[in-house]
Amino acid sequence: MAAESSTNGISEPSLFEASPAQLLREKHVADAAHLPMVEDAIDEEDIAHPPPSMKLSSAPATMVEDGPHHVSEKAAGKQKAKEEPTDPPSKPDVSHPIVLDTKSEDAFPALGGGPKPQAPAPVSMAWGGRKPLGVANAVPNGVNGQAPMSSTSSSRASTPATGKQTPATANASITSHRRGPSIPQHMPIPGKHSERIQFAPSQLLPRDQLKKPLQDVIRNINKRSKATVEMKLGPSGTIIFEGTGPVDAARQALRDVAKEVGSKQSVKIPIPLSVRPHIIGKQGSVVQGITKRTGARIQVPRAEEIATPGFDDDDDESITIDITIEGDAVAAEMARREIEVIVNERTSIVNMRLRDIPEEYYPFIAGPHDARIRALENGRQIKVHVPQYHTWSGQPPPQTPPSGRLPQFEPNRGSHIRISGDRAAAQVARLEIERQVEQLRRQITLSQLAINRGQHQFIIGDQGTSLHDLLEETGCAVILPPSTDDTEMLTITGPQDNIDLAIEKIMNLATSMHMASIDIAKQHANAPAGAQAHARALTRYLQRRQAIEQLERQFDARIVLPTTENSPMNWEVYSRDGKNTIRARSDIMNLINAHPPTRLRQVPVDPFYHQHLQQQAAQRIRDEFGVHLLLPEEDNQSSQVILVYEGPDSPSTSEYTLPRQRPSSAEVAEFERALHQAQALVQGLIQGDQQLNSRSLSVPSKFHDKLVKQVDREQQNLASTEIPVQVTSVLANIANGAPAAGEPRRTSESAERLVTLRGQGESVHNLVQKLMSFLEREKADELERGHVTSFEFPQKYTNYLIGRKGENINKYREEFDVEIQINDGKVEIKGPVAKAELAKARIIALGKKLEDEATHILKIKPQYHKDMIGAKGAQVNRLQDRYNVRVQFPRTTANVSEDRSIADGASEVSSSRNNRSNQAPDEVIIRGPRRGADEARDELLNLLQWTIDNSHTSAVSVSQSQLPSLIGQGGREMESARLATGAQIDIPGSRDTADPTGRVQIQIKGTKKQVEEATKLLQQKSKAFDDTISRSIDVDKKYHKALIGTGGANIRSVVIAAGGSDDRRELARTVRFPRPESAENTIHVEGSKTVVDKIVGAMEKFVSQRENQATEILEIAPEKHRLLIGRGGETRRALESQFHISIDVPRLSQEGAARSRVKLVGQSADLDSAKAHILELVKEQEGCTVQVPRRLHHTISDNGQFFRHLKNDHKVTVDHAGEQPPARPSVRSRSRQNDGRALPLITDQQETSSGHSWETVDHDEGQTEPGDIPWVLRGSPENITKAQNALQRAMEQARSQQQSSMGYLILPDPRTYRFVIGQGGSQINAIRRKTGCKITVPRDQAKGEAIEIVGSKEGIEQAKDIILETVQNGGGGGGIQ
């Protein structure tokens, strides 16, 4: 075989020495090789049974044979054409077992322990060169930048787990063998295929380990097989087993031989960690299939056994793990090849990291301006990422080496070169980079130069341009210290000959800077706390407020602050422009002067209270006093809390503008007052009755982490006002000093830690008591750590129990403090009895829950996902809460290959139940209890159907300038369109750009009908807008008012007559007049061409008429003006419209002769007609006057009913010749009658009628106003006569006894007034007829107005009783018969 196992350590050549009979037989075979036999010839007519060589050409692995097989042209022409597969098969062909060349060193590079020839140069793995995880570095870094190497990092070849050497010639192989030298090798006998397998002696079991003698094993295999197996002695002591017969039978027989007599091999194969789930397959299907086909045992590391320190990228192919294959040599090789096929399929695109290259080489690998990276990527389907390295972090460069020696550079674990893309191209790039690194190791040296820190930024330049220029010109790179380090040393790396040139250029860059120094402490030398202390506090405050960064951006400068706590507070300002240096220094001085010691106050506060103050006091201090609370950084144990006055309206964010003016005396007083109050509040919060206490516990290190977690659990429910106990710990030997001489040093497991608890009052004592009890329990549990319980768990759910990278099982281990192992569906828990039982119960409950769990996968097109998820997941969350399920939509809708791997459900791919990496973009997964999952599925499908029905879409193209008019003021127009159509209409935003023609797309979504209606509406508006033109006409400002008309009547009639819209908003857009206060005369008209032309024509005609119009003055008595105006001005509007004139009636405020002058303006002919008509109207309306006693006025008018009766029935109007009517009789208000109580609400219980208010007055009571009031009746003579008669009858009736009393009834509940009226007024009319009274029900009952009843005393009392009875019966009619 390809590898030789030396497990036994003893070879037995005597076992394989050929007997004389065997030697003779081999001689006969050699002599008969030239004698051809007809059975060996190829049957050219037998197309159904081609030669074995043709059958095996499509086998997954290549068979090594003695020579090529040729067929005649006739036979070749009869073969059926077969297309070669374009894609590599994902599974090996089980029907054609793999034929192996076990002599190949490539196939079996590390099996066995025989002699070995000179090995070829190692080749790096295609996915990277890092060793498999878990293998320790055995060789320290002894070469410049050289990382430790491992045996598995140079090749993807298999290595024996036992570490034995690999022979070169003692290999086993399977080959084809044809009998007889004279028989052409391309003409085997049909049905007599021959193959062989070759073993090194060490690859066979020793004689004492064989179950049967070797000859008996072969004899038994021959008996049960259709093939014949023979054993021969091969070269170099190898043993050859040859099988002759049908192809499948011969191969199976040889496999049986290998299984019976071959020694067991153990092979380790390094594979990328990312391929692990695909090797396992769903529920282990892939690895189980390989085992079944090959007979080899394959061990894949468990997820929890894989340690990836410092690595968090699963797709990094340079991270490898070892897969162990155990079995005989043939089975192991077959399994290895199948695994190689899967690895090759999954690593065609790689993502590797070069982890062993020092950062100091990165600039040279990338080249000036990344030129070498582009050269590596050019023409290759790869991406190379070399991190920028001009400032070291965490790992400084080495010191300058002695003369003649090169420095030792070390790789940085946190920074790596990445190569991603095609595997072959990536490997070429990797080799090129490694070759370049080897050259750099022999060339690169370093030198160090001290340069002022403020000048470092200018050496880097904008985005590192200066460094690239330096590398291009000198071939050297510069490494700067980080801002957190105090050193000023720059490190220059490069070839020795170029270092001096690079130093010269760096010094030129540094000396081109302008620098200014500012002594901050000097500005406030008399600060009460000390000048330096104030300067440090102010600097800390300005840093926290990001003032330093703002100054640097504003003045294009670099400001360097002191790095040590106690150093003088000198600020250094550097800039290339000397003027910017001066400006920056001046602005800094203004900032310092604006923050005197009176504006800042330092308050000593124990660090124990810092976090409490931040949470409880910071915002309160800002809101109440306008003071900013500044606490030390977490890593700074300073007790000084800084209070800075910023003002009551200052924002707490970085938007606060720092003052730059020296404060006035009044402002200083305000500072001191606010800071004093803020300090009092801070001290009041921390100076309670409870004093700080501390206790120390000596805790074994193995319990330390558990103790800290227990402290967190004990304090997790504290009130927000309580301060948690703080915990610190150190090793006991550090706290107590180093161990005494001769005292044995404790191990980390047995060492103890000193835990200190610090808090207020009794909280520390109480917590210590609880922790002592906890430690006692833990020590008791430690005695039960050997307890083991095991139980069955459904194997199909093992992946869920483990979780992604073991997160679920680790959570159980941490929660219950037990060890949990899972093996073949059996869970083993080791730990204290009680904790183990709790963990067992939890895991069993999980299994039952998963058994009841159902999973539905719905195919839903990605275009519907957003609507189905809802805003912020509202729809999905509602389903999840209602049915207690998880609804999982894919995170992205990108297209993926439909040829999905069978490993998509592997443990690491699907163990995390929320993992969506392998979820198809059109799949929605519902998982949960079966009943809930079914109901959620049905509802989701209903939602899908609704979404589909409402997902019809359309787009309407409109001009971008039309959008404001489509939206309308406050969005009214668009909202109206949405309500009218029911569709969702999305208007492009202001950031959406229009196409070259200035048009944008409005998106419409909804049902088919809604979309059609909305589309039609918007298209109509778009067409109208596109046909819209705009014209301007200059009209003298004096005509604008007349052109508009009263209430816009004139312009409205003009627009409507021209074919425009009568909608007020459309009308306002169609004709736009300048503002009244403006001196502009231009009127803008907008609309379709026809409408605009008509409107402009009408305006021009109107103006022309106005310019030619005349004015006529008519003398009309003021009391007749109302005849010209009419009710609401209707008579005047009618006259103006009829005669095309304007009528100006004097206002009531005018006096003298102008009071009776009515002005008519219009064309002369129109004025004559209008004048004659108006005079006739006034003359015709001459009337007669009837004197009515004032005390009867309101009785007769009946709230205006009598006036309306005269006008409607007799066409007669009534006025009072300018006199004011008498006041109405006073009635006590509702609130007084209701004793000041509020009116009942509609939600109150209905009150009874007993709460009513009733008041009666005689007709003459309250009507004490003497005299008469004129009633002027106007109309035609005959109508006036009729009106006079009606008025006389009314006065007689008012004087009669029947109407001598009035009653005022107020009901307690306004809702009951409707019962008095009845349907269509039926109830009130019935009461009127029965009682003979006039009854008036007020319109607004809620205002406390009374029901007026006028009639005889008996009649009004009867009417009142009937009304109350009606109300009490809920409108049932009361006493009306």
Side-chain angles (χ1 to χ4, degrees):
M1 292 295 293
E4 178 178 306
S5 176
S6 58
T7 340
N8 51 356
I10 303 174
S11 63
E12 297 182 298
S14 60
L15 178 63
F16 304 104
E17 292 180 357
S19 64
Q22 289 175 327
L23 296 175
L24 181 61
R25 183 177 180 279
E26 289 181 2
K27 182 176 182 302
H28 291 167
V29 170
D31 293 339
H34 66 284
L35 300 176
M37 301 177 66
V38 69
E39 291 83 354
D40 292 332
I42 296 176
D43 185 2
E44 296 181 354
E45 301 296 333
D46 189 3
I47 300 178
H49 301 83
S53 61
M54 295 175 62
K55 279 187 176 182
L56 295 175
S57 62
S58 62
T62 306
M63 182 183 70
V64 180
E65 300 183 351
D66 291 341
H69 303 294
H70 303 282
V71 296
S72 66
E73 293 181 1
K74 180 178 179 182
K78 293 183 180 182
Q79 304 301 314
K80 292 182 179 180
K82 293 185 179 180
E83 297 181 0
E84 293 193 7
T86 58
D87 296 330
S90 60
K91 292 184 179 180
D93 190 354
V94 181
S95 61
H96 295 83
I98 299 176
V99 184
L100 308 172
D101 177 16
T102 52
K103 286 184 178 180
S104 171
E105 178 63 18
D106 293 336
F108 292 85
L111 296 177
K116 178 177 181 180
Q118 182 178 358
V123 180
S124 298
M125 291 187 296
W127 51 80
R130 204 184 65 80
K131 67 177 65 181
L133 294 175
V135 179
N137 293 338
V139 181
N141 185 8
V143 187
N144 181 21
Q146 178 67 48
M149 301 297 292
S150 67
S151 61
T152 60
S153 64
S154 61
S155 174
R156 205 172 51 197
S158 308
T159 58
T162 55
K164 299 184 175 58
Q165 296 179 351
T166 305
T169 58
N171 297 331
S173 64
I174 302 176
T175 61
S176 298
H177 181 69
R178 307 295 188 271
R179 291 174 294 174
S182 60
I183 300 177
Q185 295 183 1
H186 61 279
M187 297 176 62
I189 300 176
K192 294 296 182 182
H193 180 72
S194 178
E195 291 189 6
R196 61 185 181 181
I197 182 170
Q198 181 174 312
F199 289 90
S202 60
Q203 294 176 308
L204 297 175
L205 290 173
R207 179 181 299 175
D208 56 354
Q209 295 183 15
L210 290 174
K211 296 180 181 179
K212 297 180 181 180
L214 187 56
Q215 296 298 333
D216 292 345
V217 171
I218 296 175
R219 188 180 304 109
N220 291 339
I221 292 175
N222 288 337
K223 285 181 180 180
R224 64 175 183 262
S225 176
K226 295 181 180 180
T228 301
V229 178
E230 297 178 350
M231 184 181 70
K232 302 178 182 179
L233 184 63
S236 302
T238 59
I239 308 301
I240 299 174
F241 294 94
E242 182 177 24
T244 305
V247 177
D248 293 341
R251 292 174 178 171
Q252 184 59 45
L254 292 177
R255 276 202 295 266
D256 292 341
V257 170
K259 185 176 180 180
E260 293 281 349
V261 304
S263 61
K264 299 299 181 182
Q265 307 294 318
S266 180
V267 183
K268 283 189 176 181
I269 302 178
I271 67 166
L273 177 60
S274 60
V275 183
R276 177 181 175 273
H278 304 286
I279 298 293
I280 298 173
K282 187 174 183 179
Q283 304 296 337
S285 58
V286 175
V287 70
Q288 292 172 6
I290 297 174
T291 300
K292 185 176 180 181
R293 288 190 296 273
T294 64
R297 182 186 178 190
I298 304 172
Q299 295 181 354
V300 181
R302 297 176 181 174
E304 58 269 23
E305 297 174 355
I306 301 174
T308 57
F311 308 138
D312 54 1
D313 287 346
D314 292 344
D315 58 346
D316 185 3
E317 279 76 16
S318 62
I319 304 176
T320 61
I321 59 173
D322 282 337
I323 289 182
T324 303
I325 303 175
E326 296 178 352
D328 60 74
V330 175
E333 173 61 14
M334 292 173 65
R336 187 190 70 82
R337 291 197 177 189
E338 289 203 30
I339 291 174
E340 285 290 333
V341 170
I342 297 175
V343 171
N344 291 337
E345 289 178 353
R346 293 292 168 179
T347 57
S348 59
I349 301 298
V350 299
N351 180 19
M352 64 175 66
R353 291 187 179 190
L354 309 186
R355 304 177 186 272
D356 303 326
I357 300 177
E359 289 181 299
E360 288 79 3
Y361 296 157
Y362 288 177
F364 305 99
I365 294 174
H369 305 286
D370 297 333
R372 290 182 176 173
I373 293 179
R374 291 195 297 271
L376 283 173
E377 295 175 346
N378 188 24
R380 300 187 178 103
Q381 296 180 353
I382 58 171
K383 184 70 176 177
V384 180
H385 172 70
V386 179
Q388 287 190 357
Y389 182 68
H390 53 69
T391 303
W392 62 265
S393 174
Q395 178 176 306
Q399 296 297 321
T400 304
S403 178
R405 297 185 62 182
L406 295 176
Q408 301 295 321
F409 297 113
E410 297 286 344
N412 188 343
R413 290 178 57 86
S415 177
H416 318 108
I417 297 177
R418 280 175 170 260
I419 306 175
S420 59
D422 179 71
R423 180 177 61 182
Q427 182 64 15
V428 172
R430 175 192 176 90
L431 293 176
E432 175 62 24
I433 292 175
E434 290 178 342
R435 182 193 62 77
Q436 187 178 356
V437 169
E438 290 301 324
Q439 293 179 353
L440 293 173
R441 286 196 180 101
R442 297 189 295 268
Q443 297 175 359
I444 299 301
T445 186
L446 63 83
S447 180
Q448 293 183 326
L449 177 67
I451 298 254
N452 196 305
R453 293 183 58 85
Q455 299 168 315
H456 289 185
Q457 181 184 12
F458 303 99
I459 296 174
I460 299 175
D462 296 335
Q463 299 181 352
T465 53
S466 298
L467 297 181
H468 285 289
D469 295 341
L470 178 70
L471 180 62
E472 186 174 18
E473 296 175 12
T474 67
C476 295
V478 179
I479 305 170
L480 285 75
S483 58
T484 56
D485 194 89
D486 295 336
T487 181
E488 296 182 343
M489 299 300 294
L490 273 65
T491 302
I492 300 96
T493 59
Q496 182 65 49
D497 297 339
N498 300 351
I499 291 291
D500 292 339
L501 178 61
I503 292 176
E504 184 70 22
K505 184 172 180 59
I506 290 171
M507 288 191 296
N508 291 337
L509 288 172
T511 54
S512 65
M513 300 300 106
H514 296 268
M515 189 271 283
S517 179
I518 307 171
D519 187 354
I520 305 299
K522 185 178 179 181
Q523 308 305 316
H524 301 292
N526 298 323
Q532 292 295 334
H534 172 72
R536 279 192 292 271
L538 179 56
T539 301
R540 189 169 128 206
Y541 166 70
L542 294 177
Q543 281 181 299
R544 192 75 61 88
R545 273 301 188 181
Q546 299 181 352
I548 310 301
E549 292 85 346
Q550 294 175 5
L551 289 169
E552 289 179 334
R553 289 192 299 269
Q554 181 178 355
F555 299 105
D556 190 23
R558 169 72 171 168
I559 301 175
V560 179
L561 307 177
T563 57
T564 58
E565 182 68 20
N566 298 320
S567 59
M569 296 306 297
N570 290 329
W571 291 16
E572 296 178 352
V573 183
Y574 295 87
S575 177
R576 293 184 185 276
D577 188 349
K579 295 179 181 179
N580 280 347
T581 305
I582 297 174
R583 295 189 186 101
R585 187 180 188 280
S586 175
D587 201 26
I588 292 172
M589 294 295 294
N590 292 335
L591 271 177
I592 303 305
N593 293 328
H595 292 81
T598 54
R599 196 173 194 131
L600 280 77
R601 182 167 297 188
Q602 300 185 57
V603 182
V605 177
D606 193 293
F608 175 82
Y609 296 104
H610 286 181
Q611 185 177 4
H612 178 69
L613 288 177
Q614 181 65 41
Q615 296 174 352
Q616 301 296 326
Q619 191 62 41
R620 180 181 172 185
I621 291 174
R622 171 173 297 282
D623 296 339
E624 294 184 9
F625 311 117
V627 173
H628 179 76
L629 177 67
L630 186 64
L631 297 171
E633 300 290 346
E634 292 185 3
D635 55 350
N636 188 351
Q637 293 300 315
S638 172
S639 62
Q640 294 298 325
V641 173
I642 302 175
L643 301 176
V644 186
Y645 181 84
E646 293 183 345
D649 300 327
S650 64
S652 59
T653 62
S654 58
E655 298 175 358
Y656 171 65
T657 302
L658 292 167
R660 283 172 166 78
Q661 293 182 351
R662 190 183 299 274
S664 63
S665 300
E667 290 174 333
V668 168
E670 176 64 20
F671 298 165
E672 293 179 342
R673 183 193 63 81
L675 291 175
H676 177 74
Q677 294 176 344
Q679 180 178 356
L681 176 61
V682 169
Q683 292 175 342
L685 288 174
I686 64 177
Q687 291 179 356
D689 296 333
Q690 299 179 350
Q691 299 298 323
L692 291 180
N693 298 323
S694 63
R695 289 282 300 276
S696 297
L697 295 176
S698 182
V699 180
S701 293
K702 60 183 177 181
F703 297 138
H704 174 263
D705 293 341
K706 296 180 182 179
L707 183 77
V708 174
K709 293 177 182 177
Q710 181 65 19
V711 170
D712 294 338
R713 286 193 291 266
E714 291 288 346
Q715 301 189 113
Q716 63 184 0
N717 295 323
L718 288 179
S720 59
T721 56
E722 296 185 50
I723 306 176
V725 175
Q726 295 179 356
V727 181
T728 58
S729 65
V730 295
L731 286 174
N733 59 349
I734 296 178
N736 301 324
E743 181 181 344
R745 183 177 297 273
R746 296 182 179 181
T747 63
S748 60
E749 184 69 18
S750 61
E752 292 193 349
R753 299 184 69 91
L754 190 65
V755 177
T756 302
L757 293 90
R758 192 163 182 259
Q760 287 182 319
E762 295 297 321
S763 59
V764 175
H765 175 74
N766 296 335
L767 183 58
V768 167
Q769 295 300 322
K770 294 179 180 178
L771 294 180
M772 294 294 292
S773 301
F774 171 76
L775 287 175
E776 292 298 328
R777 291 195 301 271
E778 287 297 319
K779 292 177 181 178
D781 289 343
E782 196 68 20
L783 301 177
E784 299 179 353
R785 288 291 170 188
H787 172 75
V788 177
T789 181
S790 60
F791 55 92
E792 299 293 330
F793 186 85
Q795 189 168 1
K796 58 184 176 181
Y797 300 125
T798 302
N799 297 332
Y800 300 146
L801 178 58
I802 296 175
R804 181 175 177 82
K805 294 185 178 179
E807 60 183 357
N808 293 344
I809 198 68
N810 289 334
K811 182 178 69 174
Y812 287 127
R813 290 168 177 163
E814 180 177 350
E815 179 179 356
F816 297 104
D817 190 23
V818 294
E819 297 179 13
I820 305 176
Q821 298 296 332
I822 305 171
N823 189 14
D824 296 333
K826 187 175 182 180
V827 179
E828 183 180 278
I829 302 177
K830 183 179 180 181
V833 177
K835 295 180 178 179
E837 292 301 322
L838 288 175
K840 176 181 177 181
R842 177 76 67 84
I843 294 174
I844 291 176
L846 174 64
K848 291 180 179 179
K849 179 181 178 181
L850 294 175
E851 287 285 358
D852 179 59
E853 188 175 78
T855 300
H856 300 302
I857 300 178
L858 307 181
K859 289 290 186 178
I860 299 177
K861 294 182 179 179
Q863 66 203 57
Y864 302 125
H865 289 183
K866 181 179 179 181
D867 293 331
M868 297 182 69
I869 292 172
K872 297 183 179 179
Q875 300 276 22
V876 171
N877 292 335
R878 183 178 60 83
L879 286 176
Q880 293 183 149
D881 295 340
R882 176 180 296 180
Y883 300 112
N884 192 26
V885 297
R886 178 172 181 81
V887 181
Q888 182 172 300
F889 281 79
R891 292 192 184 278
T892 60
T893 56
N895 294 327
V896 297
S897 173
E898 295 182 0
D899 182 18
R900 303 179 66 214
S901 168
I902 59 175
D904 286 345
S907 60
E908 256 49 62
V909 176
S910 64
S911 61
S912 179
R913 312 197 66 201
N914 301 335
N915 185 21
R916 311 184 189 197
S917 59
N918 293 287
Q919 185 175 351
D922 62 344
E923 286 184 354
V924 177
I925 301 174
I926 304 174
R927 183 181 290 112
R930 188 173 304 278
R931 180 178 177 182
D934 292 344
E935 293 178 351
R937 174 196 59 192
D938 296 341
E939 185 166 341
L940 200 63
L941 290 175
N942 291 336
L943 178 61
L944 171 63
Q945 187 60 48
W946 184 90
T947 304
I948 293 174
D949 294 341
N950 289 269
S951 294
H952 293 272
T953 58
S954 177
V956 177
S957 175
V958 300
S959 174
Q960 192 175 35
S961 58
Q962 187 185 1
L963 292 181
S965 61
L966 288 176
I967 297 173
Q969 186 176 4
R972 287 197 297 264
E973 292 293 329
M974 186 51 58
E975 187 63 24
S976 175
R978 293 186 178 116
L979 293 176
T981 62
Q984 175 184 336
I985 305 176
D986 294 332
I987 301 294
S990 58
R991 296 182 179 180
D992 297 332
T993 57
D995 60 17
T997 62
R999 303 187 72 82
V1000 293
Q1001 297 291 325
I1002 296 179
Q1003 302 298 327
I1004 306 172
K1005 186 177 182 181
T1007 64
K1008 184 177 181 181
K1009 182 179 179 181
Q1010 291 171 346
V1011 171
E1012 290 175 351
E1013 292 178 355
T1015 302
K1016 181 179 178 182
L1017 176 64
L1018 292 177
Q1019 286 176 344
Q1020 290 174 350
K1021 292 188 175 184
S1022 176
K1023 185 177 184 304
F1025 184 85
D1026 294 340
D1027 295 339
T1028 297
I1029 64 171
S1030 180
R1031 288 184 60 183
S1032 300
I1033 178 173
D1034 288 332
V1035 178
D1036 196 308
K1037 193 68 178 281
K1038 64 183 179 180
Y1039 299 129
H1040 286 190
K1041 182 178 180 181
L1043 187 57
I1044 296 173
T1046 305
N1050 290 350
I1051 194 63
R1052 183 182 298 107
S1053 61
V1054 169
V1055 173
I1056 294 174
S1061 172
D1062 61 348
D1063 182 75
R1064 294 184 63 183
R1065 290 190 292 270
E1066 290 291 336
L1067 183 65
R1069 282 196 293 267
T1070 302
V1071 182
R1072 298 194 301 277
F1073 286 85
R1075 293 183 177 276
E1077 63 272 13
S1078 173
E1080 187 180 357
N1081 294 327
T1082 304
I1083 301 175
H1084 300 280
V1085 185
E1086 184 179 282
S1088 63
K1089 186 176 185 304
T1090 305
V1091 173
V1092 169
D1093 290 343
K1094 289 182 179 180
I1095 293 174
V1096 171
M1099 287 183 176
E1100 291 174 344
K1101 181 179 178 181
F1102 179 86
V1103 172
S1104 177
Q1105 291 175 351
R1106 284 282 173 167
E1107 291 175 346
N1108 299 322
Q1109 68 184 3
T1111 301
E1112 185 77 27
I1113 303 295
L1114 295 180
E1115 291 288 342
I1116 300 177
E1119 62 270 14
K1120 296 181 180 179
H1121 289 177
R1122 59 186 303 276
L1123 300 176
L1124 293 178
I1125 298 173
R1127 188 179 183 87
E1130 59 182 357
T1131 303
R1132 181 173 61 179
R1133 288 194 297 270
L1135 291 173
E1136 289 177 339
S1137 176
Q1138 180 181 355
F1139 296 104
H1140 307 292
I1141 62 171
S1142 64
I1143 303 174
D1144 185 7
V1145 180
R1147 297 179 179 274
L1148 294 176
S1149 59
Q1150 288 182 327
E1151 298 179 354
R1155 180 73 176 82
S1156 60
R1157 293 179 181 178
V1158 177
K1159 184 168 64 175
L1160 307 180
V1161 180
Q1163 300 295 316
S1164 299
D1166 295 334
L1167 287 177
D1168 293 340
S1169 302
K1171 178 179 178 182
H1173 182 80
I1174 290 173
L1175 292 177
E1176 183 65 24
L1177 178 64
V1178 174
K1179 178 181 179 181
E1180 186 178 2
Q1181 294 296 321
E1182 290 289 346
C1184 69
T1185 301
V1186 179
Q1187 297 294 331
V1188 176
R1190 285 180 173 273
R1191 62 187 180 82
L1192 300 179
H1193 175 83
H1194 289 293
T1195 304
I1196 297 172
S1197 65
D1198 192 15
N1199 290 323
Q1201 291 289 339
F1202 188 76
F1203 297 144
R1204 288 190 288 273
H1205 167 68
L1206 293 179
K1207 184 175 182 180
N1208 295 333
D1209 295 346
H1210 306 298
K1211 309 297 182 184
V1212 172
T1213 61
V1214 180
D1215 64 65
H1216 304 293
E1219 293 190 21
Q1220 293 294 330
R1224 293 179 62 84
S1226 60
V1227 181
R1228 285 182 293 177
S1229 65
R1230 170 66 179 270
S1231 61
R1232 189 166 64 247
Q1233 293 293 335
N1234 212 24
D1235 296 331
R1237 292 175 294 172
L1239 292 176
L1241 299 176
I1242 195 171
T1243 56
D1244 295 339
Q1245 294 293 329
Q1246 182 173 335
E1247 299 179 7
T1248 64
S1249 61
S1250 61
H1252 69 276
S1253 172
W1254 170 250
E1255 181 182 3
T1256 61
V1257 295
D1258 291 336
H1259 188 270
D1260 293 335
E1261 185 179 345
Q1263 301 288 343
T1264 60
E1265 188 175 353
D1268 299 330
I1269 181 172
W1271 283 37
V1272 182
L1273 307 179
R1274 302 183 187 278
S1276 62
E1278 61 272 16
N1279 289 339
I1280 290 177
T1281 302
K1282 295 177 183 179
Q1284 281 180 314
N1285 295 333
L1287 180 58
Q1288 290 296 333
R1289 289 193 298 272
M1291 284 192 294
E1292 292 175 1
Q1293 186 177 6
R1295 291 189 184 99
S1296 67
Q1297 184 66 25
Q1298 295 179 352
Q1299 298 186 7
S1300 61
S1301 299
M1302 297 182 67
Y1304 298 93
L1305 178 63
I1306 300 177
L1307 300 179
D1309 188 354
R1311 295 173 298 180
T1312 58
Y1313 281 74
R1314 57 190 177 91
F1315 300 141
V1316 179
I1317 298 173
Q1319 185 174 5
S1322 59
Q1323 188 69 26
I1324 191 66
N1325 291 331
I1327 299 175
R1328 288 169 179 164
R1329 288 192 301 270
K1330 183 174 179 62
T1331 62
C1333 297
K1334 290 184 178 181
I1335 304 174
T1336 304
V1337 180
R1339 293 180 178 273
D1340 193 353
Q1341 299 88 2
K1343 292 184 177 180
E1345 294 185 8
I1347 300 175
E1348 294 183 3
I1349 308 174
V1350 181
S1352 63
K1353 290 185 177 181
E1354 296 79 5
I1356 63 176
E1357 290 292 339
Q1358 184 183 12
K1360 178 203 68 169
D1361 296 338
I1362 294 175
I1363 290 173
L1364 294 177
E1365 187 177 358
T1366 300
V1367 171
Q1368 188 174 8
N1369 295 333
I1376 300 177
Q1377 301 296 331

